[in-house]
Amino acid sequence: MPPFVCVIGSSNTDMVIKGQKLPAPGETVIGGTFLMNPGGKGANQAVAAARLAATAPMLGSNESVTTTSVTFVSNVGNDVFGRQARQQFEREGIRTDFVTTDADEPSGVALIGVDSQGENCIMVASGANARLSQVQVSMALAAAVSTETTVVLLQLESPVPTVEYAIRQSHARGMRVVLNPAPAQPLDPAVLACLHLITPNETEAELLTGIRVTDEATALKAAHKLHESGVPNVVITLGARGAFLSTRTGASLVAAPPVTAVDTTAAGDCFNGALAVAIAEGQSLPDAVAFACKAASISVTRMGAQVSMPHRHEVDALPL
Ligand code: ATP
């Protein structure tokens, strides 16, 4: 039975205009270039996980077989964006049995303005994402393979009651739950105790703990606060510095491989998708974090979100 990763979360279409300046309220700014990209933290993480799922060469062939299966649980609208997203997931080999088409709400859309300094301004219409229901989650988890190598990966772009329900149900089924608490928002403390691992970035760690994370010492303090809330394992991502792993038995900084970054969009999503795959494969947490750092370091050398996610052979080709 292959290890199994179930990603539960959002799917959006990002519409980006890059121009000289962002408009002030009431102002229209002419000029700039337009790009449309598939996005949403859930979808980005599902694509990363699918591309990084272990593959083994088939005897006598150049083809490879996927040994980790990735399922995505999400809600899209009955519109062109929803249909494009579903086709994209299928092309990536993601199981879409639990990607539901909502009859009433449109697909999620993010309108992003970026000025010449890289400053941005984002408005998100969650649309169908806001209707991801406990019933959908319940059906998906009932169909999932319940083993302790099964990993359920969630973020907070979906309704919080649905996310909390998914965490409780997955934990009760003996699965390992990884929560990327982005964007950060308050959670029921009892839910935190059901997590295997939480993966905030520095900003999210501060919002969750009140501790400003600037270095290893403050990362350790924030991680301890999360342990006190009942989370056994904490990874705080630190951008170009790598990631800080803290378990109940010890803590260490895992350095990011040095690269020339061109676009860090969705680096965190790549990191989380990779981490989920490595944990589902049975890798130790230090090895899983090192694997995730390698994968995310490749993603930042490329433009875009889902298109920047590396494939497994690219990560395996990097030195240990
Ligand atoms: P984003 O919001 O851009 O998706 P994030 O804020 O959630 O990212 P970060 O902590 O910035 O997450 O980055 C996640 C991981 O990506 C880091 O732990 C690191 O492994 C990798 N990473 C990010 N930036 C760089 C970089 N410049 N060079 C190498 N690795 C990087």
Side-chain angles (χ1 to χ4, degrees):
M1 184 67 73
F4 185 92
V5 176
C6 179
V7 183
I8 301 176
S10 58
S11 169
N12 286 328
T13 299
D14 295 345
M15 297 197 188
V16 188
I17 294 185
K18 290 188 177 173
Q20 274 304 305
K21 68 180 279 254
L22 297 171
E27 187 186 10
T28 300
V29 175
I30 306 283
T33 50
F34 175 67
L35 289 158
M36 200 164 78
N37 298 316
K41 287 185 184 299
N44 294 346
Q45 294 182 15
V47 168
R51 290 191 180 181
L52 293 165
T55 55
M58 282 198 295
L59 278 181
S61 153
N62 288 332
E63 300 283 302
S64 57
V65 285
T66 297
T67 57
T68 303
S69 87
V70 176
T71 283
F72 186 37
V73 183
S74 192
N75 236 6
V76 295
N78 184 14
D79 49 32
V80 64
F81 300 132
R83 284 188 282 283
Q84 279 174 354
R86 184 184 294 277
Q87 282 167 7
Q88 169 69 4
F89 304 145
E90 283 163 2
R91 271 197 297 273
E92 296 287 349
I94 295 167
R95 281 181 54 188
T96 56
D97 320 29
F98 299 101
V99 175
T100 305
T101 301
D102 195 290
D104 304 317
E105 288 293 326
S107 297
V109 168
L111 294 183
I112 305 170
V114 184
D115 71 12
S116 56
Q117 306 303 307
E119 189 62 61
N120 65 28
C121 168
I122 305 177
M123 284 179 81
V124 179
S126 297
N129 292 306
R131 303 244 297 208
L132 187 71
S133 71
Q134 297 183 9
V135 174
Q136 279 170 264
V137 165
S138 174
M139 282 165 46
L141 291 177
V145 192
S146 281
T147 71
E148 66 163 25
T149 54
T150 297
V151 174
V152 178
L153 174 61
L154 301 114
Q155 324 74 34
L156 296 176
E157 281 188 342
S158 304
V160 169
T162 304
V163 173
E164 291 183 341
Y165 173 84
I167 292 172
R168 283 203 180 87
Q169 290 295 314
S170 308
H171 176 69
R173 287 171 181 274
M175 301 165 173
R176 293 187 192 203
V177 187
V178 177
L179 176 66
N180 175 219
Q185 44 200 303
L187 288 171
D188 178 350
V191 161
L192 293 177
C194 297
L195 298 176
H196 175 63
L197 172 64
I198 195 164
T199 60
N201 65 12
E202 290 152 290
T203 316
E204 292 144 7
E206 179 175 353
L207 284 164
L208 290 171
T209 65
I211 295 162
R212 188 152 172 260
V213 176
T214 51
D215 53 18
E216 273 185 66
T218 46
L220 183 62
K221 273 191 192 162
H224 275 164
K225 197 136 191 207
L226 289 163
H227 290 317
E228 281 163 17
S229 309
V231 191
N233 303 299
V234 176
V235 172
I236 302 176
T237 60
L238 303 170
R241 281 170 293 157
F244 186 80
L245 166 66
S246 176
T247 68
R248 291 204 194 278
T249 53
S252 59
L253 176 73
V254 180
V259 293
T260 304
V262 297
D263 179 9
T264 60
T265 307
D269 293 334
C270 180
F271 184 94
N272 279 280
L275 196 59
V277 167
I279 294 170
E281 286 176 359
Q283 294 189 35
S284 69
L285 274 179
D287 287 351
V289 172
F291 178 79
C293 280
K294 286 207 279 182
S297 77
I298 298 174
S299 79
V300 302
T301 63
R302 301 168 178 170
M303 294 299 294
Q306 289 173 26
V307 286
S308 72
M309 302 302 175
H311 290 268
R312 180 58 174 259
H313 64 88
E314 298 176 279
V315 180
D316 288 344
L318 289 182
L320 285 176

